[in-house]
Amino acid sequence: MDWYGSGKSKVSWVITDLNNDKQADVYMAIATGQNQLFHNTGGGTMKNVTGSHLSSGSDNTRRVIAADVDKDGDVDLFSINSGANRLSVGELDYKYADVTASHLPSGMAAYNSQYGVFVDLDMDGLLDIITATYEQRNQLLLNTGDAHFGDFTASVPNDRDPSYVVCVADFDKDGRPDLFFGNRDVNRIYLNKTPKPTK
């Protein structure tokens, strides 16, 4: 989901089943303070489980995206922040563990990310992360397995035009996901030339 509001009141959220009970829960990311997690307890009643299910801490979160990046059957979360981005993986009790330090590349600078998507760019069956970044280069993180990511930013053209958004589509109809970056000045399309896996 995208932003709602303006300035420090901005929020972004994911609405999906986060604890496998077939009811829609809410993860709400906010620009200041602790992000919030609400479990649906039935009949549309929401219980705030932030204190028991999320790691403590506050980020200036621009957007949050959700997917099962470690392929264990539950939903994982990637927070796109104005500071360092953050990866949280779902555990057996549907609590979230902050694995940023152990699962993301070390030394990743805080480049004021604005937007991001999960997509299998190298077509290995694992979801990767591409972020649109306002300062420095857009960042590409390839999933190397078990939700560990390597820094493959050098594989993306060195576009330092401030980016606001990134979208995925197969523009040239070759079966590979391509990228569209919405930038401050010139919008750009990058065609994916990853070799297709052999059967």
Side-chain angles (χ1 to χ4, degrees):
M1 298 289 181
D2 293 325
W3 285 108
Y4 174 80
S6 60
K8 292 185 177 180
S9 64
K10 287 182 178 179
V11 297
S12 171
W13 55 87
V14 164
I15 300 176
T16 190
D17 183 3
L18 294 170
N19 59 354
N20 278 342
D21 64 355
K22 303 188 186 310
Q23 300 187 102
D25 308 303
V26 177
Y27 181 92
M28 184 173 68
I30 56 180
T32 57
Q34 170 81 54
N35 293 336
Q36 302 289 304
L37 176 61
F38 299 87
H39 281 169
N40 188 339
T41 59
T45 300
M46 310 301 289
K47 179 181 179 181
N48 190 331
V49 295
T50 301
S52 59
H53 284 63
L54 295 184
S55 301
S56 61
S58 299
D59 292 307
N60 186 343
T61 302
R62 308 280 184 167
R63 190 169 189 260
V64 59
I65 55 177
D68 183 7
V69 295
D70 53 6
K71 304 187 94 171
D72 66 351
D74 54 27
V75 179
D76 309 305
L77 301 168
F78 186 72
S79 299
I80 299 156
N81 301 323
S82 64
N85 297 327
R86 192 176 302 279
L87 177 65
S88 299
V89 298
E91 300 181 311
L92 292 176
D93 53 4
Y94 305 113
K95 296 179 181 180
Y96 282 92
D98 182 356
V99 295
T100 304
S102 58
H103 287 52
L104 297 186
S106 61
M108 294 292 287
Y111 285 154
N112 194 10
S113 298
Q114 302 289 311
Y115 205 89
V117 292
F118 285 120
V119 56
D120 183 7
L121 287 172
D122 56 0
M123 301 190 307
D124 64 352
L126 300 172
L127 289 173
D128 311 306
I129 301 169
I130 183 77
T131 62
T133 304
Y134 195 78
E135 299 167 356
Q136 303 297 326
R137 299 181 64 168
N138 299 316
Q139 294 182 338
L140 171 61
L141 304 178
L142 293 185
N143 191 337
T144 58
D146 296 324
H148 287 78
F149 290 83
D151 183 6
F152 287 79
T153 299
S155 298
V156 181
N158 190 5
D159 171 17
R160 292 180 180 269
D161 190 358
S163 297
Y164 294 108
V165 66
V166 57
C167 301
V168 178
D170 184 5
F171 291 107
D172 54 3
K173 293 188 175 181
D174 66 351
R176 303 176 178 93
D178 307 309
L179 300 173
F180 172 88
F181 283 95
N183 292 337
R184 185 184 64 185
D185 298 319
V186 179
N187 298 327
R188 300 182 188 274
I189 290 176
Y190 296 128
L191 300 180
N192 189 345
K193 298 302 180 183
T194 300
K196 289 185 178 180
T198 57
K199 295 184 179 179

